[in-house]
Amino acid sequence: MTTFPDLKTVIITGATSPRGIGRATADLLASSGWNVGIIDLDEAECKNLANELSSRYGIQAYGAAADVADEVMVRAAIDQVENNLPQIVALANIAGVSSAVGYLELTSQEWHRVLNVNLHGVHYVTHRVVETMVRHGVGRIVSISSVSAQRGGGTYSKTPYSVAKAGLIGLTRSLARELGPHNITVNAIAPGPIDTDIMGGTLSEERKAELVEDLVVTRLGTTADIASAIRFLLAEDAGYISGQTLNVDGGLYMH
Ligand code: NAD
């Protein structure tokens, strides 16, 4: 079985949000010796984060802007990362948008906006990155789903979000099966409520208390909780785990 090369790169989408899961993951993986390719919407923010990571952790980093819902942009951005960094070994699909619109008020435009970013976007990025992984005969992929996929919402975002995040679980299982012979593992993480800005801005103390009510671990999740699970699944020694959805949700969903 092919092992990891000495110099390895992880591509992280959705990494520039200052209080987000992607940013915490970029810091943790860079501090663990990964070289990091950043994909997010704003070119300057991608470049700034790459500079910050390389000067803070002494690794190589490169940022390239893309809307993950735009396949042409995605391919161009990943080409750039590939041309500027060591071998792409891992991918963390973290970019995503929330959607608090109820089904009865839902427009077709909102449905497509959410599906385009949260499901099609993950497919576009993964499809391009997998070309490289197959060529090298090794890869690790993790996509951020949500407990909302398993519980039918119930956190902040509603139906199109749950549909997209449930789609990621199917994508994960199917790709795990197809890509296993290429030494590529594919997994999903289903976070519970994590204290970031995605739920319409910083959460009030009252809202945090409500979100914690159903949990076994009686606190809101942190970006560090998710980042450490991502690091675990992307590691070389996690090679016998594939097709799984790991709930990092304080025990909200037990299955
Ligand atoms: P966030 O809003 O802080 O970060 C999202 C990031 O994705 C941002 O950097 C944003 O610029 C980027 N992004 C959005 N649309 C994009 C696009 N079209 N192309 C490229 N980049 C795009 O949110 P977060 O809470 O850190 O969420 C990260 C992921 O975790 C999302 O997929 C989200 O659905 C998922 N998630 C979050 C929670 C939670 O409670 N925070 C729970 C379950 C799942």
Side-chain angles (χ1 to χ4, degrees):
M1 181 155 298
T2 316
T3 51
F4 282 11
D6 290 340
L7 286 177
K8 59 189 191 296
T9 292
V10 58
I11 291 192
I12 305 175
T13 70
T16 64
S17 174
R19 295 183 64 252
I21 293 168
R23 173 64 209 250
T25 303
D27 275 304
L28 187 66
L29 293 180
S31 74
S32 310
W34 284 90
N35 303 292
V36 182
I38 304 290
I39 310 280
D40 209 305
L41 290 169
D42 186 273
E43 179 82 19
E45 286 178 12
C46 291
K47 300 278 184 222
N48 288 343
L49 177 55
N51 288 339
E52 209 178 313
L53 293 173
S54 53
S55 57
R56 184 173 304 164
Y57 301 107
I59 50 100
Q60 299 177 58
Y62 189 88
D67 175 348
V68 294
D70 181 330
E71 189 171 15
V72 174
M73 285 182 88
V74 163
R75 294 192 68 86
I78 295 172
D79 287 349
Q80 282 184 54
V81 171
E82 183 158 35
N83 291 336
N84 285 279
L85 293 180
Q87 182 182 326
I88 297 168
V89 171
L91 166 64
N93 283 307
I94 302 178
V97 288
S98 63
S99 173
V101 182
Y103 196 62
L104 299 180
E105 290 77 45
L106 190 64
T107 61
S108 167
Q109 191 185 18
E110 177 67 0
W111 172 270
H112 288 288
R113 179 185 77 89
V114 177
L115 270 288
N116 283 342
V117 176
N118 290 3
L119 181 58
H120 304 157
V122 173
H123 156 61
Y124 297 144
V125 173
T126 303
H127 201 238
R128 168 61 188 85
V129 169
V130 158
E131 287 174 13
T132 297
M133 290 176 171
V134 166
R135 209 168 56 240
H136 292 291
V138 64
R140 298 271 183 274
I141 300 171
V142 171
S143 302
I144 304 301
S145 176
S146 170
V147 71
S148 162
Q150 301 152 322
R151 295 181 83 236
T155 47
Y156 172 76
S157 288
K158 297 200 161 46
T159 302
Y161 184 87
S162 293
V163 170
K165 294 299 188 181
L168 291 187
I169 295 175
L171 182 73
T172 294
R173 291 175 178 168
S174 181
L175 294 185
R177 190 180 296 279
E178 278 200 47
L179 300 176
H182 297 279
N183 197 22
I184 298 169
T185 66
V186 190
N187 292 288
I189 290 174
I194 308 297
D195 187 9
T196 70
D197 294 329
I198 202 170
M199 287 182 266
T202 308
L203 295 168
S204 68
E205 289 308 313
E206 202 181 358
R207 183 70 187 123
K208 284 184 190 176
E210 277 170 25
L211 286 168
V212 164
E213 264 169 22
D214 288 342
L215 305 184
V216 171
V217 182
T218 56
R219 64 169 176 82
L220 222 54
T222 65
T223 56
D225 291 324
I226 306 304
S228 63
I230 293 173
R231 178 173 66 176
F232 164 66
L233 289 171
L234 295 184
E236 186 168 17
D237 57 8
Y240 204 55
I241 305 171
S242 199
Q244 303 305 308
T245 300
L246 178 61
N247 276 69
V248 184
D249 64 0
L252 181 57
Y253 180 74
M254 299 192 198
H255 56 117

